[in-house]
Amino acid sequence: MENVTLSDVLFQGCQFDYATLNRLRVKGSVAFVNCRFREAIFTGGDLGSTVFDDCSLSGVEFDSVKMAGTDIRECEVSGIIGVSSLKGAHVAPNHSRNCSTLSPRI
């Protein structure tokens, strides 16, 4: 996906493994429920108030993505690259205990 704006969309049970999502923008309600994003790459864009519920974000790379208000509390987050993009995102307390598995963008 490139230069896509999503509005009022529900993705349920989808696999985005190894996907590249460039400049994805969210307007309105967008939720990913029980989806898998293994080693997907998000570059640029604004995920706004997107909800990721029971998703696997293992090995996902976030590069210059605005995530203020994004909810990833109920997700697997091990190995995320680009944790600076998570500024303002809602994360679970156990995510902070697992920060050793998260990587800054190098």
Side-chain angles (χ1 to χ4, degrees):
M1 282 192 247
E2 187 165 354
N3 290 321
V4 174
T5 300
L6 300 174
S7 180
D8 302 323
V9 181
L10 169 64
F11 294 93
Q12 189 167 11
C14 299
Q15 292 186 15
F16 294 92
D17 295 347
Y18 311 105
T20 301
L21 302 115
N22 294 319
R23 295 178 299 280
L24 183 66
R25 291 175 305 281
V26 171
K27 306 280 185 191
S29 300
V30 175
F32 294 91
V33 178
N34 195 27
C35 294
R36 194 167 72 187
F37 291 86
R38 183 177 41 211
E39 297 186 33
I41 300 171
F42 289 81
T43 57
D46 186 345
L47 296 181
S49 58
T50 301
V51 173
F52 290 86
D53 183 21
D54 194 28
C55 293
S56 174
L57 300 175
S58 296
V60 170
E61 179 177 344
F62 293 104
D63 182 11
S64 303
V65 180
K66 294 178 184 175
M67 295 182 67
T70 301
D71 188 342
I72 62 169
R73 288 179 281 201
E74 300 297 324
C75 297
E76 167 60 43
V77 298
S78 62
I80 285 180
I81 299 169
V83 294
S84 61
S85 286
L86 297 179
K87 181 178 180 181
H90 301 287
V91 297
N94 65 323
H95 291 166
S96 62
R97 286 194 299 269
N98 295 325
C99 279
S100 62
T101 64
L102 306 179
S103 305
R105 177 136 177 87
I106 300 174

Coordinates of all heavy atoms in Angstrom, one line a residue:
M1 N 0.8 -1.2 0.0 CA 0.0 0.0 0.0 C 0.9 1.2 0.0 O 1.9 1.3 0.7 CB -0.9 0.0 1.2 CG -2.1 -0.9 1.2 SD -3.2 -0.5 2.5 CE -3.1 -2.0 3.5
E2 N 0.5 2.2 -0.8 CA 1.3 3.4 -0.9 C 0.4 4.6 -1.1 O -0.5 4.5 -1.9 CB 2.3 3.4 -2.0 CG 3.2 4.6 -2.0 CD 4.5 4.4 -2.9 OE1 4.6 3.3 -3.4 OE2 5.2 5.3 -3.1
N3 N 0.6 5.6 -0.2 CA -0.3 6.9 -0.3 C -1.7 6.5 -0.2 O -2.6 7.0 -1.0 CB 0.0 7.6 -1.6 CG 1.4 8.3 -1.6 OD1 1.8 8.8 -0.6 ND2 2.0 8.2 -2.7
V4 N -2.1 5.7 0.8 CA -3.5 5.3 1.0 C -4.0 6.0 2.2 O -3.4 6.1 3.2 CB -3.6 3.8 1.1 CG1 -5.0 3.4 1.5 CG2 -3.1 3.1 -0.1
T5 N -5.3 6.5 2.1 CA -6.0 7.0 3.3 C -7.1 6.1 3.6 O -7.9 5.8 2.8 CB -6.5 8.5 3.0 OG1 -5.4 9.3 2.7 CG2 -7.3 9.0 4.2
L6 N -7.1 5.6 4.9 CA -8.2 4.7 5.3 C -9.1 5.5 6.2 O -8.7 6.3 7.1 CB -7.5 3.6 6.1 CG -6.5 2.7 5.4 CD1 -5.9 1.7 6.4 CD2 -7.2 2.0 4.3
S7 N -10.4 5.2 6.1 CA -11.4 5.8 6.9 C -12.5 4.8 7.2 O -13.1 4.2 6.3 CB -12.0 7.1 6.2 OG -13.0 7.7 7.0
D8 N -12.8 4.6 8.5 CA -13.9 3.7 8.9 C -13.7 2.3 8.3 O -14.6 1.9 7.5 CB -15.2 4.3 8.6 CG -15.4 5.7 9.2 OD1 -15.0 5.8 10.4 OD2 -16.0 6.6 8.6
V9 N -12.6 1.7 8.6 CA -12.3 0.3 8.1 C -12.0 -0.6 9.2 O -11.3 -0.3 10.1 CB -11.1 0.4 7.1 CG1 -10.8 -1.0 6.5 CG2 -11.3 1.4 6.0
L10 N -12.4 -1.9 9.1 CA -12.1 -2.9 10.0 C -11.4 -4.0 9.2 O -12.0 -4.5 8.2 CB -13.3 -3.5 10.7 CG -13.1 -4.8 11.5 CD1 -12.2 -4.6 12.6 CD2 -14.5 -5.4 11.9
F11 N -10.2 -4.4 9.6 CA -9.4 -5.5 9.0 C -9.5 -6.6 10.1 O -9.0 -6.3 11.2 CB -8.0 -5.1 8.7 CG -7.8 -4.1 7.6 CD1 -7.7 -2.8 7.9 CD2 -7.7 -4.5 6.3 CE1 -7.6 -1.8 6.9 CE2 -7.6 -3.6 5.3 CZ -7.5 -2.2 5.6
Q12 N -10.0 -7.7 9.8 CA -10.1 -8.8 10.8 C -9.5 -10.1 10.2 O -9.9 -10.6 9.2 CB -11.5 -9.0 11.2 CG -11.6 -10.0 12.4 CD -13.0 -9.9 13.0 OE1 -14.0 -9.3 12.4 NE2 -13.2 -10.5 14.1
G13 N -8.5 -10.6 11.0 CA -7.9 -11.9 10.6 C -7.0 -11.8 9.3 O -6.8 -12.8 8.6
C14 N -6.5 -10.7 9.0 CA -5.7 -10.5 7.8 C -4.2 -10.7 8.1 O -3.7 -10.5 9.2 CB -5.9 -9.1 7.3 SG -7.6 -8.7 6.8
Q15 N -3.5 -11.1 7.0 CA -2.1 -11.3 7.1 C -1.4 -10.2 6.3 O -1.6 -10.2 5.1 CB -1.6 -12.7 6.7 CG -2.1 -13.8 7.6 CD -1.6 -15.1 7.2 OE1 -0.7 -15.3 6.4 NE2 -2.2 -16.2 7.8
F16 N -0.5 -9.4 6.9 CA 0.2 -8.4 6.3 C 1.7 -8.7 6.4 O 2.6 -7.8 6.4 CB 0.0 -7.0 6.9 CG -1.5 -6.6 6.7 CD1 -2.4 -6.8 7.6 CD2 -1.8 -5.8 5.5 CE1 -3.7 -6.4 7.5 CE2 -3.1 -5.4 5.4 CZ -4.1 -5.7 6.3
D17 N 2.1 -10.0 6.5 CA 3.5 -10.4 6.6 C 4.3 -9.9 5.5 O 3.9 -10.0 4.3 CB 3.6 -11.9 6.7 CG 2.9 -12.5 7.9 OD1 2.6 -11.8 8.8 OD2 2.8 -13.8 7.9
Y18 N 5.4 -9.2 5.8 CA 6.4 -8.7 4.8 C 5.8 -7.6 3.9 O 6.4 -7.2 2.9 CB 7.0 -9.8 4.0 CG 7.5 -11.0 4.8 CD1 6.7 -12.2 4.9 CD2 8.6 -10.9 5.6 CE1 7.2 -13.2 5.7 CE2 9.1 -11.9 6.4 CZ 8.3 -13.1 6.4 OH 8.8 -14.1 7.2
A19 N 4.7 -7.0 4.3 CA 4.1 -5.9 3.5 C 4.9 -4.6 3.7 O 5.5 -4.4 4.8 CB 2.6 -5.7 4.0
T20 N 4.8 -3.8 2.8 CA 5.4 -2.4 2.8 C 4.2 -1.5 2.8 O 3.4 -1.5 1.8 CB 6.4 -2.2 1.7 OG1 7.4 -3.2 1.8 CG2 7.0 -0.8 1.8
L21 N 4.1 -0.6 3.8 CA 3.0 0.3 3.9 C 3.6 1.7 3.9 O 4.0 2.2 5.0 CB 2.1 0.0 5.1 CG 1.5 -1.4 5.1 CD1 2.1 -2.2 6.2 CD2 0.1 -1.4 5.1
N22 N 3.6 2.4 2.8 CA 4.2 3.7 2.7 C 3.2 4.8 2.8 O 2.2 4.8 2.0 CB 5.0 3.8 1.3 CG 6.2 2.9 1.2 OD1 6.9 2.7 2.2 ND2 6.3 2.3 0.1
R23 N 3.4 5.7 3.6 CA 2.6 6.9 3.8 C 1.1 6.6 3.9 O 0.3 7.2 3.3 CB 2.9 7.9 2.6 CG 4.3 8.5 2.7 CD 4.6 9.4 1.5 NE 4.5 8.8 0.2 CZ 5.4 8.0 -0.4 NH1 6.5 7.7 0.3 NH2 5.2 7.5 -1.6
L24 N 0.9 5.6 4.8 CA -0.5 5.2 5.1 C -1.1 6.3 6.1 O -0.4 6.6 7.1 CB -0.5 3.9 5.8 CG -1.8 3.2 6.2 CD1 -2.6 2.9 4.9 CD2 -1.6 2.0 7.0
R25 N -2.3 6.8 5.8 CA -2.9 7.8 6.6 C -4.2 7.3 7.1 O -5.0 6.7 6.3 CB -3.1 9.1 5.9 CG -1.7 9.8 5.6 CD -1.9 11.1 4.7 NE -2.6 10.8 3.5 CZ -2.0 10.3 2.4 NH1 -0.8 9.9 2.4 NH2 -2.7 10.1 1.3
V26 N -4.6 7.6 8.4 CA -5.8 7.1 8.9 C -6.7 8.3 9.3 O -6.2 9.3 9.9 CB -5.6 6.3 10.2 CG1 -6.8 6.0 10.9 CG2 -4.9 5.0 9.8
K27 N -7.9 8.3 8.8 CA -8.9 9.3 9.1 C -10.1 8.5 9.6 O -10.6 7.6 8.9 CB -9.3 10.2 7.9 CG -8.1 10.8 7.2 CD -7.7 12.0 7.9 CE -6.6 12.7 7.0 NZ -6.0 13.8 7.7
G28 N -10.7 8.9 10.7 CA -11.9 8.2 11.2 C -11.4 6.9 12.0 O -10.3 6.8 12.4
S29 N -12.3 6.0 12.1 CA -12.1 4.8 12.9 C -11.5 3.7 12.0 O -12.1 3.3 11.0 CB -13.4 4.2 13.4 OG -14.0 5.2 14.3
V30 N -10.3 3.2 12.4 CA -9.6 2.1 11.7 C -9.1 1.1 12.7 O -8.5 1.5 13.7 CB -8.5 2.6 10.8 CG1 -7.7 1.4 10.2 CG2 -9.0 3.5 9.7
A31 N -9.5 -0.2 12.6 CA -9.0 -1.2 13.5 C -8.5 -2.4 12.7 O -9.0 -2.8 11.7 CB -10.2 -1.6 14.4
F32 N -7.4 -3.0 13.3 CA -6.9 -4.2 12.8 C -7.1 -5.2 14.0 O -6.6 -5.0 15.1 CB -5.4 -4.1 12.5 CG -5.1 -3.2 11.4 CD1 -4.8 -1.8 11.6 CD2 -5.0 -3.7 10.1 CE1 -4.5 -1.0 10.5 CE2 -4.7 -2.9 9.0 CZ -4.5 -1.5 9.2
V33 N -7.9 -6.3 13.8 CA -8.2 -7.2 14.8 C -7.7 -8.6 14.4 O -8.0 -9.1 13.3 CB -9.7 -7.3 15.1 CG1 -10.1 -8.3 16.1 CG2 -10.2 -5.9 15.5
N34 N -6.9 -9.2 15.3 CA -6.3 -10.5 15.0 C -5.6 -10.6 13.7 O -5.8 -11.5 12.9 CB -7.4 -11.6 15.2 CG -6.9 -13.0 15.3 OD1 -5.8 -13.1 15.8 ND2 -7.6 -13.9 14.8
C35 N -4.8 -9.6 13.4 CA -4.0 -9.6 12.2 C -2.6 -9.8 12.5 O -2.1 -9.6 13.6 CB -4.2 -8.2 11.5 SG -5.9 -7.8 10.9
R36 N -1.8 -10.2 11.4 CA -0.4 -10.5 11.6 C 0.4 -9.6 10.6 O 0.1 -9.5 9.4 CB -0.1 -12.0 11.3 CG 1.2 -12.4 11.7 CD 1.3 -13.9 11.7 NE 1.4 -14.3 10.3 CZ 1.3 -15.6 9.9 NH1 1.2 -16.6 10.8 NH2 1.4 -15.9 8.6
F37 N 1.4 -9.0 11.2 CA 2.3 -8.0 10.4 C 3.7 -8.4 10.5 O 4.6 -7.6 10.5 CB 2.1 -6.6 11.0 CG 0.8 -6.0 10.8 CD1 -0.2 -6.2 11.7 CD2 0.6 -5.2 9.7 CE1 -1.5 -5.6 11.5 CE2 -0.7 -4.6 9.5 CZ -1.7 -4.8 10.4
R38 N 4.0 -9.7 10.6 CA 5.4 -10.2 10.8 C 6.4 -9.5 9.7 O 6.2 -9.6 8.5 CB 5.5 -11.7 10.6 CG 7.0 -12.2 10.9 CD 7.1 -13.7 10.9 NE 6.3 -14.3 9.8 CZ 5.7 -15.4 9.9 NH1 5.8 -16.2 10.9 NH2 5.0 -15.9 8.8
E39 N 7.3 -8.8 10.3 CA 8.4 -8.1 9.5 C 7.8 -7.1 8.4 O 8.5 -6.9 7.4 CB 9.4 -9.1 8.9 CG 10.1 -9.9 10.0 CD 11.2 -10.8 9.5 OE1 11.8 -10.5 8.5 OE2 11.4 -11.9 10.1
A40 N 6.7 -6.6 8.7 CA 6.1 -5.6 7.8 C 6.9 -4.3 8.0 O 7.5 -4.1 9.0 CB 4.6 -5.3 8.0
I41 N 6.8 -3.4 7.0 CA 7.5 -2.1 7.1 C 6.5 -1.0 6.9 O 5.8 -0.9 5.9 CB 8.6 -2.0 6.1 CG1 9.7 -3.1 6.3 CG2 9.3 -0.6 6.1 CD1 10.7 -3.2 5.1
F42 N 6.4 -0.1 7.9 CA 5.6 1.1 7.8 C 6.6 2.3 7.7 O 7.4 2.5 8.5 CB 4.8 1.4 9.1 CG 3.7 0.4 9.3 CD1 3.9 -0.9 9.9 CD2 2.4 0.7 9.0 CE1 2.9 -1.7 10.1 CE2 1.3 -0.1 9.2 CZ 1.6 -1.4 9.8
T43 N 6.4 3.1 6.6 CA 7.3 4.3 6.4 C 6.4 5.5 6.2 O 5.4 5.5 5.5 CB 8.2 4.1 5.2 OG1 7.5 3.8 4.0 CG2 9.2 3.0 5.4
G44 N 6.8 6.6 6.9 CA 6.0 7.8 6.8 C 4.6 7.6 7.3 O 4.3 6.6 7.9
G45 N 3.7 8.5 7.0 CA 2.3 8.3 7.3 C 1.9 8.7 8.7 O 2.8 9.1 9.6
D46 N 0.7 8.5 9.0 CA 0.1 8.9 10.3 C -1.0 7.8 10.6 O -2.0 7.8 9.9 CB -0.5 10.3 10.2 CG -1.0 10.8 11.5 OD1 -1.2 10.0 12.5 OD2 -1.3 12.0 11.6
L47 N -0.7 7.0 11.6 CA -1.7 6.0 12.0 C -2.7 6.5 13.0 O -3.6 5.8 13.4 CB -1.0 4.8 12.6 CG -0.1 4.0 11.6 CD1 0.6 2.8 12.3 CD2 -0.8 3.6 10.4
G48 N -2.6 7.8 13.4 CA -3.6 8.4 14.3 C -4.1 7.6 15.4 O -3.4 7.0 16.2
S49 N -5.4 7.4 15.4 CA -6.0 6.7 16.5 C -6.4 5.3 16.1 O -7.4 4.7 16.6 CB -7.3 7.4 17.0 OG -8.2 7.6 15.9
T50 N -5.5 4.6 15.3 CA -5.7 3.3 14.9 C -5.7 2.3 16.1 O -4.9 2.5 17.0 CB -4.7 2.9 13.9 OG1 -4.7 3.7 12.7 CG2 -4.8 1.4 13.4
V51 N -6.5 1.3 16.0 CA -6.5 0.3 17.1 C -6.0 -1.0 16.5 O -6.5 -1.5 15.5 CB -7.9 0.0 17.7 CG1 -7.9 -1.1 18.6 CG2 -8.4 1.3 18.4
F52 N -4.9 -1.6 17.1 CA -4.4 -2.9 16.8 C -4.8 -3.8 17.9 O -4.3 -3.6 19.0 CB -2.9 -2.9 16.6 CG -2.4 -2.1 15.4 CD1 -2.2 -0.8 15.4 CD2 -2.2 -2.8 14.2 CE1 -1.7 -0.1 14.3 CE2 -1.7 -2.1 13.1 CZ -1.5 -0.8 13.1
D53 N -5.7 -4.7 17.7 CA -6.2 -5.6 18.8 C -5.8 -7.0 18.5 O -6.3 -7.6 17.5 CB -7.7 -5.4 18.9 CG -8.3 -6.2 20.1 OD1 -7.6 -6.5 21.0 OD2 -9.5 -6.5 20.1
D54 N -5.1 -7.6 19.4 CA -4.7 -9.0 19.3 C -3.9 -9.3 18.0 O -4.2 -10.3 17.3 CB -5.9 -9.9 19.5 CG -5.5 -11.4 19.7 OD1 -4.4 -11.6 20.3 OD2 -6.2 -12.3 19.3
C55 N -3.0 -8.3 17.7 CA -2.2 -8.5 16.5 C -0.8 -8.8 16.8 O -0.3 -8.5 17.9 CB -2.2 -7.1 15.7 SG -3.8 -6.7 15.0
S56 N -0.1 -9.5 15.9 CA 1.3 -9.7 16.0 C 2.1 -8.7 15.2 O 1.9 -8.6 14.0 CB 1.7 -11.1 15.4 OG 3.1 -11.3 15.5
L57 N 2.8 -7.9 16.0 CA 3.7 -6.8 15.3 C 5.2 -7.2 15.5 O 6.0 -6.4 15.4 CB 3.4 -5.5 16.0 CG 2.0 -5.0 16.0 CD1 1.9 -3.7 16.8 CD2 1.6 -4.7 14.6
S58 N 5.4 -8.5 15.6 CA 6.8 -9.0 15.8 C 7.7 -8.7 14.6 O 7.3 -9.0 13.4 CB 6.8 -10.5 16.0 OG 6.2 -10.9 17.2
G59 N 8.8 -8.0 14.8 CA 9.7 -7.7 13.8 C 9.3 -6.5 12.9 O 9.9 -6.3 11.9
V60 N 8.2 -5.8 13.2 CA 7.7 -4.7 12.4 C 8.7 -3.6 12.5 O 9.2 -3.3 13.5 CB 6.3 -4.3 12.8 CG1 5.9 -3.0 12.1 CG2 5.3 -5.4 12.5
E61 N 8.9 -2.9 11.4 CA 9.7 -1.7 11.3 C 8.9 -0.5 11.1 O 8.1 -0.4 10.2 CB 10.8 -1.8 10.2 CG 11.7 -0.6 10.1 CD 12.7 -0.6 9.1 OE1 13.0 -1.8 8.6 OE2 13.3 0.4 8.7
F62 N 9.0 0.5 12.0 CA 8.3 1.8 11.9 C 9.4 2.8 11.6 O 10.3 3.0 12.4 CB 7.6 2.1 13.2 CG 6.4 1.2 13.5 CD1 6.5 0.2 14.5 CD2 5.2 1.3 12.8 CE1 5.4 -0.6 14.8 CE2 4.1 0.5 13.1 CZ 4.3 -0.5 14.1
D63 N 9.3 3.5 10.5 CA 10.2 4.5 10.1 C 9.5 5.8 9.8 O 8.7 6.0 8.9 CB 11.0 4.1 8.8 CG 12.0 5.1 8.4 OD1 12.3 6.0 9.1 OD2 12.5 4.9 7.3
S64 N 9.6 6.8 10.8 CA 9.0 8.1 10.7 C 7.5 8.0 10.5 O 6.9 8.7 9.7 CB 9.6 8.9 9.5 OG 11.0 9.0 9.6
V65 N 6.9 7.2 11.4 CA 5.5 7.1 11.4 C 4.9 7.8 12.6 O 5.4 7.6 13.7 CB 5.0 5.6 11.5 CG1 3.5 5.4 11.5 CG2 5.6 4.8 10.3
K66 N 3.9 8.6 12.4 CA 3.2 9.3 13.6 C 2.2 8.3 14.1 O 1.3 7.8 13.4 CB 2.5 10.5 13.1 CG 3.4 11.6 12.6 CD 2.7 12.8 12.2 CE 3.6 13.8 11.6 NZ 2.9 15.0 11.0
M67 N 2.4 8.0 15.5 CA 1.5 7.0 16.1 C 0.8 7.5 17.3 O 0.3 6.7 18.1 CB 2.3 5.7 16.4 CG 2.8 5.0 15.1 SD 3.7 3.5 15.5 CE 2.4 2.4 16.1
A68 N 0.8 8.8 17.5 CA 0.1 9.4 18.7 C -1.3 8.9 18.7 O -2.1 9.1 17.7 CB 0.2 10.9 18.7
G69 N -1.8 8.3 19.8 CA -3.1 7.8 19.9 C -3.4 6.4 19.4 O -4.4 5.8 19.6
T70 N -2.4 5.8 18.7 CA -2.5 4.4 18.3 C -2.5 3.5 19.5 O -1.7 3.6 20.4 CB -1.3 4.1 17.3 OG1 -1.4 5.0 16.2 CG2 -1.4 2.7 16.8
D71 N -3.4 2.5 19.5 CA -3.5 1.5 20.6 C -2.9 0.2 20.2 O -3.4 -0.5 19.3 CB -4.9 1.4 20.9 CG -5.1 0.6 22.2 OD1 -4.2 -0.2 22.6 OD2 -6.2 0.6 22.8
I72 N -1.8 -0.2 20.8 CA -1.2 -1.5 20.6 C -1.1 -2.3 21.9 O -0.3 -3.2 22.0 CB 0.2 -1.4 19.9 CG1 1.2 -0.6 20.8 CG2 0.2 -0.7 18.5 CD1 2.7 -0.7 20.4
R73 N -1.9 -2.0 22.8 CA -1.8 -2.6 24.2 C -2.0 -4.1 24.1 O -1.5 -4.8 24.9 CB -2.9 -2.0 25.1 CG -2.5 -0.6 25.5 CD -3.5 0.0 26.4 NE -4.6 0.5 25.6 CZ -5.5 1.4 26.0 NH1 -5.4 1.9 27.2 NH2 -6.4 1.8 25.2
E74 N -2.8 -4.6 23.2 CA -3.2 -6.1 23.2 C -2.4 -6.8 22.1 O -2.8 -7.8 21.7 CB -4.7 -6.2 23.0 CG -5.5 -5.6 24.0 CD -5.3 -6.2 25.4 OE1 -5.1 -7.4 25.5 OE2 -5.4 -5.5 26.4
C75 N -1.2 -6.3 21.8 CA -0.4 -6.9 20.7 C 0.9 -7.5 21.2 O 1.5 -7.1 22.1 CB -0.1 -5.9 19.6 SG -1.6 -5.2 18.9
E76 N 1.4 -8.4 20.4 CA 2.8 -9.0 20.5 C 3.7 -8.0 19.8 O 3.5 -7.6 18.7 CB 2.9 -10.3 19.8 CG 4.3 -10.8 19.6 CD 5.0 -11.0 20.9 OE1 4.4 -11.5 21.9 OE2 6.2 -10.6 21.0
V77 N 4.7 -7.5 20.6 CA 5.5 -6.4 20.1 C 7.0 -6.7 20.0 O 7.8 -5.8 19.8 CB 5.3 -5.1 20.9 CG1 3.9 -4.6 20.8 CG2 5.8 -5.3 22.3
S78 N 7.4 -8.0 20.2 CA 8.8 -8.3 20.3 C 9.5 -8.0 19.0 O 9.0 -8.3 17.9 CB 9.0 -9.8 20.6 OG 8.4 -10.6 19.7
G79 N 10.7 -7.4 19.1 CA 11.5 -7.1 17.9 C 11.1 -6.0 17.1 O 11.6 -5.8 16.0
I80 N 10.2 -5.1 17.6 CA 9.8 -3.9 16.8 C 11.1 -3.0 16.6 O 11.9 -2.8 17.5 CB 8.8 -3.1 17.5 CG1 7.4 -3.8 17.4 CG2 8.7 -1.7 17.0 CD1 6.3 -3.0 18.0
I81 N 11.2 -2.5 15.4 CA 12.3 -1.6 15.0 C 11.7 -0.2 14.8 O 10.7 -0.1 14.2 CB 13.0 -2.1 13.7 CG1 13.6 -3.5 13.9 CG2 14.1 -1.1 13.3 CD1 14.1 -4.2 12.7
G82 N 12.4 0.8 15.4 CA 12.0 2.1 15.2 C 11.0 2.6 16.3 O 10.0 3.2 16.1
V83 N 11.4 2.2 17.6 CA 10.5 2.5 18.7 C 10.2 3.9 18.9 O 9.2 4.3 19.5 CB 11.0 1.8 20.0 CG1 10.9 0.3 19.9 CG2 12.4 2.3 20.4
S84 N 11.1 4.8 18.4 CA 10.8 6.3 18.5 C 9.5 6.6 17.9 O 8.9 7.6 18.3 CB 12.0 7.1 18.0 OG 12.1 6.8 16.6
S85 N 9.0 5.9 16.9 CA 7.7 6.1 16.2 C 6.6 5.9 17.2 O 5.5 6.3 17.0 CB 7.6 5.3 15.0 OG 8.4 5.8 13.9
L86 N 6.8 5.1 18.3 CA 5.8 4.7 19.2 C 5.4 5.9 20.2 O 4.5 5.8 21.0 CB 6.2 3.5 20.0 CG 6.3 2.2 19.2 CD1 6.7 1.1 20.1 CD2 5.1 1.9 18.4
K87 N 6.1 7.0 20.0 CA 5.9 8.2 20.9 C 4.4 8.5 20.8 O 3.9 8.8 19.7 CB 6.7 9.3 20.5 CG 6.5 10.5 21.4 CD 7.5 11.7 21.0 CE 7.2 12.9 21.9 NZ 8.1 14.0 21.5
G88 N 3.7 8.5 22.0 CA 2.3 8.9 22.0 C 1.4 7.7 21.8 O 0.2 7.9 21.9
A89 N 1.9 6.6 21.5 CA 1.0 5.4 21.3 C 0.7 4.8 22.7 O 1.4 5.0 23.6 CB 1.8 4.3 20.5
H90 N -0.5 4.1 22.7 CA -0.9 3.5 23.9 C -0.3 2.1 23.9 O -0.6 1.3 23.1 CB -2.4 3.3 24.0 CG -3.1 4.7 23.9 ND1 -3.2 5.5 25.0 CD2 -3.8 5.3 22.9 CE1 -3.8 6.6 24.6 NE2 -4.2 6.5 23.4
V91 N 0.6 1.8 24.9 CA 1.2 0.5 25.0 C 0.9 -0.1 26.4 O 0.6 0.6 27.3 CB 2.8 0.6 24.9 CG1 3.1 1.1 23.5 CG2 3.4 1.5 25.9
A92 N 1.0 -1.4 26.5 CA 0.7 -2.1 27.7 C 1.9 -2.0 28.7 O 3.0 -1.9 28.2 CB 0.4 -3.6 27.4
P93 N 1.6 -2.1 30.0 CA 2.7 -2.1 31.0 C 3.8 -3.2 30.7 O 5.0 -2.9 30.9 CB 2.0 -2.3 32.3 CG 0.6 -1.8 32.1 CD 0.3 -2.1 30.6
N94 N 3.3 -4.3 30.3 CA 4.3 -5.4 30.0 C 5.2 -5.1 28.8 O 6.2 -5.7 28.7 CB 3.6 -6.8 29.9 CG 2.7 -6.8 28.7 OD1 2.0 -5.8 28.3 ND2 2.6 -8.0 28.1
H95 N 4.8 -4.2 27.9 CA 5.6 -3.9 26.8 C 6.9 -3.2 27.3 O 7.9 -3.4 26.8 CB 4.9 -3.0 25.8 CG 3.8 -3.6 25.1 ND1 2.8 -2.9 24.4 CD2 3.4 -4.9 24.9 CE1 2.0 -3.8 23.8 NE2 2.3 -5.0 24.1
S96 N 6.7 -2.3 28.3 CA 7.9 -1.6 28.8 C 8.9 -2.6 29.5 O 10.1 -2.3 29.5 CB 7.5 -0.5 29.8 OG 6.8 -1.0 30.9
R97 N 8.4 -3.6 30.1 CA 9.3 -4.6 30.7 C 10.0 -5.4 29.6 O 11.1 -5.9 29.8 CB 8.5 -5.6 31.5 CG 8.0 -5.1 32.8 CD 7.6 -6.2 33.8 NE 6.4 -6.9 33.2 CZ 5.2 -6.6 33.5 NH1 4.9 -5.6 34.2 NH2 4.2 -7.3 33.0
N98 N 9.5 -5.4 28.4 CA 10.1 -6.2 27.3 C 10.9 -5.2 26.4 O 11.1 -5.6 25.2 CB 9.0 -6.9 26.5 CG 8.4 -8.0 27.3 OD1 9.0 -8.6 28.1 ND2 7.1 -8.2 27.1
C99 N 11.2 -4.0 26.8 CA 11.9 -3.1 26.0 C 13.2 -3.6 25.4 O 13.7 -3.1 24.4 CB 12.1 -1.8 26.7 SG 10.6 -0.7 26.7
S100 N 13.8 -4.6 26.1 CA 15.0 -5.1 25.5 C 14.8 -5.8 24.2 O 15.8 -6.0 23.4 CB 15.6 -6.1 26.5 OG 14.7 -7.2 26.7
T101 N 13.6 -6.1 23.9 CA 13.3 -6.8 22.6 C 13.0 -5.8 21.5 O 12.8 -6.1 20.4 CB 12.2 -7.8 22.7 OG1 11.0 -7.1 23.0 CG2 12.5 -8.9 23.7
L102 N 12.8 -4.5 21.9 CA 12.5 -3.4 21.0 C 13.8 -2.7 20.5 O 14.7 -2.5 21.3 CB 11.5 -2.4 21.6 CG 10.3 -3.0 22.2 CD1 9.4 -1.9 22.8 CD2 9.5 -3.8 21.1
S103 N 13.9 -2.3 19.3 CA 15.1 -1.7 18.8 C 14.9 -0.3 18.2 O 13.9 -0.1 17.5 CB 15.7 -2.6 17.7 OG 15.9 -3.9 18.1
P104 N 15.8 0.6 18.5 CA 15.7 1.9 17.8 C 16.0 1.7 16.4 O 16.7 0.8 16.0 CB 16.7 2.8 18.6 CG 17.7 1.8 19.1 CD 16.9 0.5 19.4
R105 N 15.7 2.7 15.6 CA 16.1 2.6 14.1 C 17.5 2.8 14.0 O 18.1 3.8 14.6 CB 15.3 3.6 13.3 CG 15.7 3.7 11.9 CD 14.5 3.8 11.0 NE 14.9 3.9 9.6 CZ 15.1 2.8 8.9 NH1 15.0 1.6 9.4 NH2 15.5 3.0 7.6
I106 N 18.2 2.0 13.4 CA 19.7 2.1 13.2 C 20.1 2.5 11.8 O 19.5 2.1 10.9 CB 20.4 0.8 13.6 CG1 20.1 0.4 15.0 CG2 21.9 0.9 13.4 CD1 20.6 -0.9 15.5

